[in-house]
Amino acid sequence: MPERPYHHGDLRAVLLANAERALAERGPAALSLRELAREAGVSHAAPKRHFADKQALLDALALSGFERLTERLDTAASTPGSTRDRVQALAAGYVGFTLDNAALIDLMYTRKHDSGSPAEMAEAVSRLVTTVMRPIAEGQAAGEIIDGDPSGIAMGVAATLHGFAALKSSAPRAYVESTLSGVVDLLLYGLIPR
């Protein structure tokens, strides 16, 4: 069988898209650069021009996920309106992304905590945290959120949203969306009676 050519429009993007689909369908253990090359119609060596090995592909996939999530949350955090409106939009953006991309989210957070992750991973996570902190800091400046370290408050918000999405991952989407507002209210107003 003759060797397939390398030339392909944007092979890196095709490999990442196919890898994300395979990740969602079969999990990270089943990913294979050789199989991804076959699906893309290129030689088995062609992916090596973009990814040194499977781990480099997984890291690139996780980085892409962090970039897409940050972009979605940046748009949500820019929602006009009150602090509650912005936090609600941020919550909906995060939970929606998590429900739509469960396997990718798992990979992102696994790679985030791995000591062998590239430096770009920490930078991507930092951009995500900064995006989550923005409506918190703006709410503090407007007197709508308590004083305190915005990064600590943002961590509480992110942990709550991530946990909520994990707990509700198999629930009907309409139910998740309808109950998220109550979770945001608890985040903003707390549990202590007023």
Side-chain angles (χ1 to χ4, degrees):
M1 175 183 241
E3 186 76 10
R4 281 181 238 148
Y6 165 75
H7 300 290
H8 194 287
D10 187 355
L11 181 59
R12 185 176 196 283
V14 168
L15 292 170
L16 284 172
N18 289 347
E20 187 170 344
R21 180 187 38 73
L23 176 72
E25 292 172 0
R26 300 185 302 270
L31 283 179
S32 157
L33 287 173
R34 186 176 288 270
E35 178 65 21
L36 292 171
R38 187 190 63 70
E39 290 175 8
V42 296
S43 74
H44 67 85
K48 296 274 186 194
R49 294 177 183 253
H50 301 282
F51 307 107
D53 55 22
K54 179 179 170 178
Q55 194 56 62
L57 171 70
L58 291 172
D59 286 341
L61 198 54
L63 282 168
S64 169
F66 277 116
E67 290 164 5
R68 288 174 20 220
L69 177 57
T70 300
E71 185 177 302
R72 182 182 284 193
L73 296 186
D74 186 50
T75 299
S78 301
T79 298
S82 68
T83 296
R84 188 198 184 287
D85 293 337
R86 288 192 302 281
V87 173
Q88 178 65 44
L90 188 86
Y94 186 87
V95 170
F97 186 91
T98 300
L99 295 177
D100 292 341
N101 302 283
L104 180 60
I105 282 284
D106 287 345
L107 174 67
M108 289 161 55
Y109 285 103
T110 298
R111 294 305 303 143
K112 168 187 173 261
H113 295 293
D114 191 303
S115 61
S117 291
E120 295 90 1
M121 195 76 66
E123 294 164 11
V125 171
S126 178
R127 285 189 299 275
L128 177 65
V129 170
T130 299
T131 301
V132 173
M133 278 183 5
R134 193 173 83 227
I136 303 299
E138 290 169 356
Q140 286 176 316
E144 297 174 343
I145 290 183
I146 60 170
D147 289 333
D149 177 14
S151 64
I153 295 169
M155 182 60 67
V157 169
T160 300
L161 296 177
H162 190 75
F164 176 77
L167 288 171
K168 300 298 183 186
S169 63
S170 61
R173 188 69 173 252
Y175 173 76
V176 172
E177 291 170 355
S178 69
T179 58
L180 182 58
S181 181
V183 172
V184 170
D185 287 341
L186 282 174
L187 279 169
L188 290 173
Y189 306 120
L191 298 174
I192 299 172
R194 302 283 187 268

